[in-house]
Amino acid sequence: MDRRHFILLGSAWSVAALARPRHRGRGVPQPMPGTVPAPASPPTALTAGQPLADLVRLPNGSATPGTFEATLIAQRASKTLLAGRPTEFWTYNGLVPGPMIEVLEGDTVRIRVENRLTQETTVHWHGLPVPPNQDGSPMDPIAPGASRIYEFTLPVGSAGTYWFHPHTHKHTAEQVFRGMAGLFVIRSRTDPLSDSFAEKHLVISDLRLASDGSIPADTAMDWQNGREGNYVLVNGQYQPTLGINPGQSQRWRILNATNARYLRVALDQHTFTLVGTDGGLLAAPMPGLSEILLAPGQRVEVIVTAALAAGAAAVLKSLPYERGAMGMGMMGGGSSTIPLLTVQYFRSTTLPVAMPTELRPIAPLGTPAAYKHLVLSSGMGMGMMGGGGMMQFLIDGKSFDPTRVDLTSRVNQVEQWTVDNRSSMDHPFHLHGTQFQVVSRTRGGATIPETTLAWRDVVNVAAFESVVFKVVQSQLGMRMYHCHILEHEDQGMMGVLDVIA
Ligand code: C2O
Ligand code: CU
Ligand code: CU
């Protein structure tokens, strides 16, 4: 096999291919469980071991300080991963993953989005405190061939690791698994780590390739469990190699951009120091973690310190995690360990740097003025997605209706939410527009208080577990909350929150 065919990022993408969109012959495809063929047997393994590529930065087209301006084009792009069998991805600007957006707290961001797909799309700014009408919700689709401008200003205090992805009603899962997702980093001028720690970005995505090189549609099993692919990629590469100097400490921002795969990440012979979650830095570093669970949609910032000798190597992997999915063992899901990348030690050493003992203040949200209780459930339904006997995935017994308001909150009021999972599968719960603080988790009658103050926008609610968090919404308007297993979201495991004065 020809190694040149395996470079996913950079110039190897064919711009000629981008210029001629290929139509799949169905404008608004509806998933039809039971009618899609089973995935073809996994093709020959992709080539591993290339140096980890840096994410391509989305260039700032504005010369005005404090302003970021750019264009994202939702478009097909073709890339040959399997010799002679090109794969068509759906991308932002022809890249998988999408370009990385990097801005400073306080910046005004203006991004033009052009939809060159043959179905509606939106760009959702996952985790960012942007106004509801700029958040790419399913209520504001961009028609095929149309474009729009998203504009928002990012407040001081919002520094963190976020991402962007489509959020079109019923098509989010497909657009993401075909390649549409990108990292969005907001930097702070007062970041206590930025000068001392080399930064790496790990965007972890899932790819299923059929033996002809195509990306098959979701199967009935995918709609049930959420899709897991046959390759887990880092920055679009299969098991790449990340270099580190002995003694060096690196800051890794890791994003789980998969539709449904739980990543229980561990690095052989190393521990992680957790320094940040979805919404930015913790109050203080948490050293000595042998593993970190990243549910779909979640991000972390960790410090990895190179404690081994020159020439050593260690594998970053995802350990088995039982999320209650049915029949996932055969697909490489819950029961297997998956290598993600290899950390390769260089010869030249780096002098160790001291870890600050404090990162930033996090004030606990105060006494709640209102309480909400949400129930996640699943059960046999009347066929939400076009066939009888399909599972339904519900919040408070209801399936998503964009014209219905399910909950209301008062702006700037502290609320306490209990999310109660009464199903036998884990669901990563996500709320738009803000960050929350987890208070406790209850499972099997035992309540475990959360000991670390952290800002999150996704929390895993394990099977038959309930999770309590505190939250404040600071902008008026409609917000989504949903399961971040994207097939569940597309099937209606989502609700609408109206934030009122
Ligand atoms: Cu990342 Cu409403 O989603
Ligand atoms: Cu979101
Ligand atoms: Cu779910």
Side-chain angles (χ1 to χ4, degrees):
M1 269 189 267
D2 184 343
R3 288 183 75 97
R4 284 173 305 153
H5 288 299
F6 295 91
I7 301 161
L8 255 173
L9 286 168
S11 59
W13 282 87
S14 155
V15 174
L18 307 185
R20 43 177 171 83
R22 274 175 284 160
H23 298 265
R24 305 182 79 80
R26 33 175 207 162
V28 185
Q30 291 300 314
M32 293 292 289
T35 66
V36 288
S41 53
T44 327
L46 305 186
T47 300
Q50 298 166 340
L52 179 71
D54 285 336
L55 296 171
V56 176
R57 301 291 203 285
L58 187 65
N60 184 2
S62 168
T64 312
T67 304
F68 182 92
E69 277 180 0
T71 298
L72 286 176
I73 302 175
Q75 60 188 182
R76 293 177 154 82
S78 158
K79 175 64 202 159
T80 301
L81 302 178
L82 298 170
R85 287 165 287 176
T87 299
E88 181 191 272
F89 290 87
W90 299 0
T91 72
Y92 291 116
N93 297 3
L95 299 163
V96 174
M100 168 177 164
I101 300 176
E102 216 179 345
V103 300
L104 265 176
E105 288 179 337
D107 279 0
T108 293
V109 177
R110 209 171 288 125
I111 294 180
R112 207 177 139 266
V113 175
E114 242 182 76
N115 181 7
R116 293 191 193 158
L117 303 175
T118 54
Q119 57 180 224
E120 290 179 341
T121 194
T122 75
V123 180
H124 168 54
W125 313 100
H126 179 125
L128 297 181
V130 311
N133 63 2
Q134 302 301 311
D135 204 21
S137 87
M139 285 84 124
D140 290 314
I142 308 171
S147 64
R148 73 157 281 172
I149 292 173
Y150 292 100
E151 181 169 346
F152 43 85
T153 298
L154 296 165
V156 170
S158 61
T161 309
Y162 304 92
W163 61 305
F164 57 97
H165 63 78
H167 215 308
T168 329
H169 189 33
K170 291 184 161 64
H171 298 298
T172 300
E174 178 173 29
Q175 292 183 14
V176 173
F177 78 63
R178 294 196 185 282
M180 296 171 74
L183 193 69
F184 194 123
V185 174
I186 308 179
R187 299 193 182 282
S188 157
R189 287 188 174 79
T190 57
D191 188 325
L193 303 173
S194 60
D195 296 332
S196 343
F197 300 92
E199 186 170 313
K200 301 285 173 187
H201 307 109
L202 309 182
V203 175
I204 301 177
S205 64
D206 225 337
L207 177 65
R208 185 183 302 156
L209 280 184
S211 49
D212 65 355
S214 67
I215 301 175
D218 268 344
T219 64
M221 190 62 99
D222 294 332
W223 286 106
Q224 158 78 29
N225 290 329
R227 179 189 183 98
E228 295 188 9
N230 44 22
Y231 297 104
V232 181
L233 304 181
V234 184
N235 296 358
Q237 295 172 295
Y238 182 61
Q239 298 176 3
T241 296
L242 180 157
I244 200 166
N245 292 337
Q248 187 182 28
S249 288
Q250 295 184 348
R251 176 191 199 169
W252 293 1
R253 297 181 191 256
I254 311 176
L255 158 64
N256 182 346
T258 68
N259 278 33
R261 190 184 291 276
Y262 281 64
L263 300 168
R264 213 181 121 205
V265 291
L267 178 58
D268 285 338
Q269 298 167 270
H270 295 73
T271 58
F272 299 115
T273 298
L274 183 69
V275 292
T277 49
D278 301 328
L281 294 175
L282 300 175
M286 285 178 69
L289 304 180
S290 56
E291 58 176 78
I292 291 175
L293 181 67
L294 271 174
Q298 287 186 315
R299 293 85 66 206
V300 285
E301 294 179 53
V302 295
I303 302 291
V304 173
T305 297
L308 306 181
V315 175
L316 179 73
K317 56 202 180 187
S318 180
L319 302 172
Y321 181 78
E322 184 47 68
R323 64 182 180 92
M326 292 166 61
M328 292 304 286
M330 305 305 292
M331 297 295 292
S335 58
S336 52
T337 294
I338 296 164
L340 301 173
L341 62 70
T342 301
V343 173
Q344 180 65 54
Y345 278 62
F346 293 134
R347 301 261 145 222
S348 51
T349 54
T350 297
L351 287 179
V353 289
M355 178 82 71
T357 53
E358 287 173 10
L359 297 170
R360 64 155 172 182
I362 297 184
L365 293 173
T367 310
Y371 294 80
K372 287 184 165 54
H373 190 270
L374 285 78
V375 173
L376 310 180
S377 66
S378 64
M380 290 311 253
M382 295 305 291
M384 294 305 299
M385 303 301 287
M390 281 298 290
M391 292 293 276
Q392 277 187 308
F393 296 93
L394 307 171
I395 301 181
D396 294 332
K398 293 175 288 186
S399 186
F400 176 62
D401 178 348
T403 65
R404 185 186 65 218
V405 170
D406 297 291
L407 298 171
T408 55
S409 291
R410 293 232 175 251
V411 72
N412 296 329
Q413 193 172 71
V414 177
E415 294 193 345
Q416 181 164 300
W417 290 34
T418 301
V419 183
D420 186 355
N421 182 357
R422 297 193 189 154
S423 78
S424 56
M425 195 188 293
D426 289 23
H427 299 285
F429 184 84
H430 171 51
L431 172 61
H432 285 202
T434 191
Q435 298 285 320
F436 50 74
Q437 294 178 347
V438 174
V439 173
S440 65
R441 294 175 162 84
T442 302
R443 213 196 300 200
T447 296
I448 301 161
E450 184 86 346
T451 49
T452 311
L453 265 183
W455 292 112
R456 300 182 185 279
D457 55 56
V458 178
V459 64
N460 188 46
V461 190
F464 301 113
E465 181 183 55
S466 70
V467 173
V468 176
F469 61 78
K470 289 186 192 176
V471 65
V472 179
Q473 292 280 359
S474 62
Q475 299 183 61
L476 298 173
M478 304 290 185
R479 296 293 189 185
M480 323 302 301
Y481 54 90
H482 59 88
C483 175
H484 220 288
I485 288 178
L486 298 178
E487 281 77 9
H488 293 175
E489 180 209 314
D490 273 350
Q491 285 172 97
M493 199 172 204
M494 175 153 67
V496 178
L497 170 74
D498 190 9
V499 181
I500 59 170

